[in-house]
Short mmCIF file of all heavy atoms in Angstrom, two decimals:
data_model
loop_
_atom_site.label_atom_id
_atom_site.label_comp_id
_atom_site.label_asym_id
_atom_site.label_seq_id
_atom_site.Cartn_x
_atom_site.Cartn_y
_atom_site.Cartn_z
N LYS A 1 -16.34 -4.87 -0.64
CA LYS A 1 -16.78 -3.91 0.37
C LYS A 1 -18.26 -3.61 0.16
O LYS A 1 -18.77 -3.71 -0.95
CB LYS A 1 -15.99 -2.60 0.27
CG LYS A 1 -14.49 -2.73 0.46
CD LYS A 1 -14.15 -3.11 1.88
CE LYS A 1 -12.64 -3.16 2.11
NZ LYS A 1 -12.29 -3.68 3.44
N ARG A 2 -18.92 -3.25 1.23
CA ARG A 2 -20.29 -2.76 1.07
C ARG A 2 -20.25 -1.36 0.46
O ARG A 2 -21.01 -1.04 -0.43
CB ARG A 2 -21.00 -2.73 2.42
CG ARG A 2 -22.46 -2.30 2.35
CD ARG A 2 -23.13 -2.51 3.69
NE ARG A 2 -22.55 -1.68 4.73
CZ ARG A 2 -22.92 -0.41 4.94
NH1 ARG A 2 -23.84 0.16 4.20
NH2 ARG A 2 -22.36 0.28 5.91
N ARG A 3 -19.31 -0.57 0.95
CA ARG A 3 -19.14 0.80 0.46
C ARG A 3 -17.67 0.98 0.10
O ARG A 3 -16.80 0.86 0.97
CB ARG A 3 -19.56 1.76 1.56
CG ARG A 3 -19.52 3.21 1.18
CD ARG A 3 -20.23 3.97 2.28
NE ARG A 3 -19.94 5.38 2.20
CZ ARG A 3 -20.72 6.30 2.75
NH1 ARG A 3 -21.81 5.93 3.37
NH2 ARG A 3 -20.42 7.56 2.66
N GLY A 4 -17.38 1.21 -1.15
CA GLY A 4 -16.00 1.27 -1.60
C GLY A 4 -15.39 2.64 -1.44
O GLY A 4 -15.86 3.61 -2.03
N GLU A 5 -14.32 2.72 -0.66
CA GLU A 5 -13.63 3.99 -0.44
C GLU A 5 -12.14 3.80 -0.72
O GLU A 5 -11.66 2.69 -1.00
CB GLU A 5 -13.88 4.48 0.98
CG GLU A 5 -15.37 4.70 1.26
CD GLU A 5 -15.62 5.34 2.61
OE1 GLU A 5 -14.64 5.73 3.29
OE2 GLU A 5 -16.79 5.45 3.00
N ILE A 6 -11.40 4.89 -0.62
CA ILE A 6 -9.97 4.88 -0.96
C ILE A 6 -9.20 3.85 -0.15
O ILE A 6 -8.31 3.17 -0.66
CB ILE A 6 -9.38 6.30 -0.78
CG1 ILE A 6 -9.81 7.20 -1.95
CG2 ILE A 6 -7.86 6.26 -0.69
CD1 ILE A 6 -9.34 8.63 -1.83
N ASP A 7 -9.54 3.69 1.14
CA ASP A 7 -8.82 2.73 1.99
C ASP A 7 -8.90 1.32 1.42
O ASP A 7 -7.94 0.55 1.50
CB ASP A 7 -9.40 2.75 3.40
CG ASP A 7 -8.99 3.98 4.19
OD1 ASP A 7 -8.12 4.72 3.68
OD2 ASP A 7 -9.52 4.21 5.28
N GLY A 8 -10.07 0.98 0.84
CA GLY A 8 -10.23 -0.35 0.26
C GLY A 8 -9.35 -0.56 -0.95
O GLY A 8 -8.81 -1.65 -1.17
N VAL A 9 -9.18 0.50 -1.75
CA VAL A 9 -8.31 0.42 -2.93
C VAL A 9 -6.85 0.24 -2.48
O VAL A 9 -6.11 -0.56 -3.05
CB VAL A 9 -8.45 1.67 -3.81
CG1 VAL A 9 -7.50 1.62 -5.00
CG2 VAL A 9 -9.90 1.82 -4.30
N GLU A 10 -6.47 1.00 -1.46
CA GLU A 10 -5.11 0.87 -0.94
C GLU A 10 -4.86 -0.53 -0.39
O GLU A 10 -3.79 -1.12 -0.60
CB GLU A 10 -4.88 1.90 0.18
CG GLU A 10 -4.91 3.36 -0.28
CD GLU A 10 -3.65 3.77 -1.00
OE1 GLU A 10 -2.80 2.91 -1.30
OE2 GLU A 10 -3.49 4.97 -1.28
N GLN A 11 -5.85 -1.08 0.28
CA GLN A 11 -5.74 -2.44 0.82
C GLN A 11 -5.54 -3.45 -0.30
O GLN A 11 -4.65 -4.31 -0.23
CB GLN A 11 -7.01 -2.76 1.61
CG GLN A 11 -7.01 -4.12 2.28
CD GLN A 11 -8.32 -4.37 3.02
OE1 GLN A 11 -9.25 -3.58 2.99
NE2 GLN A 11 -8.38 -5.50 3.70
N LEU A 12 -6.34 -3.35 -1.35
CA LEU A 12 -6.21 -4.28 -2.48
C LEU A 12 -4.88 -4.10 -3.18
O LEU A 12 -4.26 -5.09 -3.62
CB LEU A 12 -7.37 -4.06 -3.47
CG LEU A 12 -7.37 -4.94 -4.72
CD1 LEU A 12 -7.29 -6.42 -4.37
CD2 LEU A 12 -8.60 -4.64 -5.58
N THR A 13 -4.39 -2.88 -3.28
CA THR A 13 -3.09 -2.62 -3.90
C THR A 13 -1.98 -3.37 -3.17
O THR A 13 -1.10 -3.98 -3.79
CB THR A 13 -2.78 -1.11 -3.89
OG1 THR A 13 -3.79 -0.41 -4.64
CG2 THR A 13 -1.42 -0.83 -4.51
N ARG A 14 -2.03 -3.36 -1.85
CA ARG A 14 -1.00 -4.06 -1.06
C ARG A 14 -1.09 -5.57 -1.28
O ARG A 14 -0.07 -6.26 -1.40
CB ARG A 14 -1.16 -3.71 0.42
CG ARG A 14 -0.84 -2.26 0.76
CD ARG A 14 -0.74 -2.04 2.25
NE ARG A 14 -2.02 -2.19 2.93
CZ ARG A 14 -2.88 -1.21 3.13
NH1 ARG A 14 -2.62 0.01 2.67
NH2 ARG A 14 -4.01 -1.42 3.77
N TYR A 15 -2.32 -6.09 -1.34
CA TYR A 15 -2.49 -7.52 -1.61
C TYR A 15 -1.91 -7.88 -2.98
O TYR A 15 -1.24 -8.91 -3.14
CB TYR A 15 -3.97 -7.90 -1.58
CG TYR A 15 -4.60 -7.89 -0.22
CD1 TYR A 15 -5.94 -7.54 -0.06
CD2 TYR A 15 -3.89 -8.25 0.93
CE1 TYR A 15 -6.56 -7.55 1.20
CE2 TYR A 15 -4.50 -8.25 2.18
CZ TYR A 15 -5.82 -7.89 2.30
OH TYR A 15 -6.42 -7.91 3.54
N LEU A 16 -2.18 -7.06 -3.98
CA LEU A 16 -1.72 -7.35 -5.34
C LEU A 16 -0.20 -7.37 -5.42
O LEU A 16 0.38 -8.18 -6.15
CB LEU A 16 -2.30 -6.33 -6.32
CG LEU A 16 -3.80 -6.47 -6.61
CD1 LEU A 16 -4.31 -5.27 -7.41
CD2 LEU A 16 -4.08 -7.76 -7.37
N GLU A 17 0.44 -6.47 -4.68
CA GLU A 17 1.90 -6.45 -4.67
C GLU A 17 2.46 -7.78 -4.17
O GLU A 17 3.41 -8.33 -4.73
CB GLU A 17 2.40 -5.30 -3.79
CG GLU A 17 2.19 -3.92 -4.41
CD GLU A 17 2.62 -2.81 -3.48
OE1 GLU A 17 3.04 -3.11 -2.33
OE2 GLU A 17 2.54 -1.63 -3.87
N LEU A 18 1.84 -8.31 -3.11
CA LEU A 18 2.31 -9.58 -2.55
C LEU A 18 1.96 -10.76 -3.46
O LEU A 18 2.77 -11.65 -3.68
CB LEU A 18 1.68 -9.79 -1.18
CG LEU A 18 2.20 -8.86 -0.07
CD1 LEU A 18 1.35 -8.99 1.17
CD2 LEU A 18 3.65 -9.17 0.26
N LEU A 19 0.76 -10.77 -4.01
CA LEU A 19 0.34 -11.86 -4.88
C LEU A 19 1.18 -11.92 -6.15
O LEU A 19 1.53 -13.00 -6.64
CB LEU A 19 -1.15 -11.71 -5.23
CG LEU A 19 -2.13 -11.90 -4.06
CD1 LEU A 19 -3.53 -11.49 -4.49
CD2 LEU A 19 -2.13 -13.34 -3.57
N ASN A 20 1.52 -10.77 -6.68
CA ASN A 20 2.32 -10.72 -7.91
C ASN A 20 3.79 -11.05 -7.67
O ASN A 20 4.55 -11.25 -8.62
CB ASN A 20 2.18 -9.36 -8.59
CG ASN A 20 0.95 -9.28 -9.47
OD1 ASN A 20 0.81 -10.03 -10.44
ND2 ASN A 20 0.03 -8.39 -9.12
N ALA A 21 4.18 -11.12 -6.40
CA ALA A 21 5.55 -11.56 -6.08
C ALA A 21 5.66 -13.08 -6.10
O ALA A 21 6.76 -13.62 -6.05
CB ALA A 21 5.96 -11.01 -4.71
N ASP A 22 4.50 -13.77 -6.16
CA ASP A 22 4.48 -15.22 -6.18
C ASP A 22 4.50 -15.71 -7.63
O ASP A 22 3.55 -15.48 -8.39
CB ASP A 22 3.20 -15.72 -5.48
CG ASP A 22 3.16 -17.24 -5.34
OD1 ASP A 22 3.87 -17.94 -6.09
OD2 ASP A 22 2.41 -17.73 -4.49
N PRO A 23 5.56 -16.38 -8.05
CA PRO A 23 5.67 -16.81 -9.45
C PRO A 23 4.59 -17.81 -9.87
O PRO A 23 4.31 -17.96 -11.05
CB PRO A 23 7.06 -17.44 -9.53
CG PRO A 23 7.41 -17.80 -8.12
CD PRO A 23 6.74 -16.78 -7.26
N HIS A 24 3.95 -18.47 -8.89
CA HIS A 24 2.90 -19.43 -9.21
C HIS A 24 1.56 -18.75 -9.48
O HIS A 24 0.65 -19.38 -10.01
CB HIS A 24 2.73 -20.43 -8.06
CG HIS A 24 3.96 -21.23 -7.77
ND1 HIS A 24 4.46 -22.16 -8.65
CD2 HIS A 24 4.80 -21.21 -6.70
CE1 HIS A 24 5.56 -22.70 -8.14
NE2 HIS A 24 5.79 -22.14 -6.96
N LEU A 25 1.46 -17.48 -9.12
CA LEU A 25 0.20 -16.76 -9.29
C LEU A 25 0.25 -15.68 -10.37
O LEU A 25 -0.72 -15.47 -11.09
CB LEU A 25 -0.22 -16.10 -7.97
CG LEU A 25 -0.55 -17.03 -6.79
CD1 LEU A 25 -0.86 -16.21 -5.55
CD2 LEU A 25 -1.73 -17.93 -7.13
N ARG A 26 1.37 -14.97 -10.45
CA ARG A 26 1.41 -13.81 -11.34
C ARG A 26 1.29 -14.20 -12.81
O ARG A 26 1.68 -15.32 -13.19
CB ARG A 26 2.69 -13.00 -11.09
CG ARG A 26 3.98 -13.71 -11.42
CD ARG A 26 5.14 -12.74 -11.21
NE ARG A 26 6.41 -13.39 -11.49
CZ ARG A 26 7.42 -13.51 -10.63
NH1 ARG A 26 7.31 -13.01 -9.42
NH2 ARG A 26 8.53 -14.13 -10.98
N PRO A 27 0.70 -13.28 -13.59
CA PRO A 27 0.22 -11.95 -13.20
C PRO A 27 -1.17 -12.02 -12.57
O PRO A 27 -2.02 -12.78 -13.01
CB PRO A 27 0.17 -11.21 -14.53
CG PRO A 27 -0.12 -12.27 -15.54
CD PRO A 27 0.58 -13.51 -15.05
N VAL A 28 -1.37 -11.22 -11.52
CA VAL A 28 -2.66 -11.17 -10.83
C VAL A 28 -3.26 -9.79 -11.02
O VAL A 28 -2.64 -8.78 -10.70
CB VAL A 28 -2.49 -11.45 -9.32
CG1 VAL A 28 -3.86 -11.48 -8.63
CG2 VAL A 28 -1.74 -12.76 -9.08
N GLN A 29 -4.45 -9.76 -11.57
CA GLN A 29 -5.19 -8.50 -11.72
C GLN A 29 -6.06 -8.28 -10.49
O GLN A 29 -6.27 -9.19 -9.68
CB GLN A 29 -6.06 -8.55 -12.98
CG GLN A 29 -5.28 -8.71 -14.27
CD GLN A 29 -4.32 -7.54 -14.51
OE1 GLN A 29 -4.71 -6.37 -14.37
NE2 GLN A 29 -3.08 -7.85 -14.85
N GLY A 30 -6.59 -7.07 -10.35
CA GLY A 30 -7.41 -6.75 -9.20
C GLY A 30 -8.78 -6.23 -9.57
O GLY A 30 -8.92 -5.51 -10.58
N ILE A 31 -9.77 -6.59 -8.77
CA ILE A 31 -11.12 -6.05 -8.92
C ILE A 31 -11.57 -5.53 -7.56
O ILE A 31 -11.45 -6.22 -6.54
CB ILE A 31 -12.12 -7.12 -9.41
CG1 ILE A 31 -11.82 -7.51 -10.85
CG2 ILE A 31 -13.55 -6.61 -9.30
CD1 ILE A 31 -12.77 -8.56 -11.42
N PHE A 32 -12.10 -4.31 -7.56
CA PHE A 32 -12.65 -3.70 -6.36
C PHE A 32 -14.16 -3.73 -6.50
O PHE A 32 -14.73 -3.04 -7.35
CB PHE A 32 -12.13 -2.27 -6.23
CG PHE A 32 -12.43 -1.60 -4.92
CD1 PHE A 32 -12.17 -2.25 -3.72
CD2 PHE A 32 -12.96 -0.32 -4.88
CE1 PHE A 32 -12.44 -1.64 -2.51
CE2 PHE A 32 -13.22 0.29 -3.68
CZ PHE A 32 -12.96 -0.36 -2.48
#
């Protein structure tokens, strides 16, 4: 993001939930 706000963190959280459900990818960490 150009400007990081709470909505961006929530968005990344949702992505991480889906990515970590994939056994070929997990564990997946997140960076904002």
Side-chain angles (χ1 to χ4, degrees):
K1 300 292 183 187
R2 183 171 64 85
R3 183 168 165 159
E5 301 187 6
I6 284 177
D7 286 351
V9 178
E10 294 284 8
Q11 182 181 4
L12 179 54
T13 299
R14 293 191 292 270
Y15 289 147
L16 288 171
E17 288 177 357
L18 290 170
L19 293 170
N20 276 298
D22 186 339
H24 300 292
L25 296 177
R26 65 176 179 238
V28 183
Q29 298 299 312
I31 291 180
F32 190 49

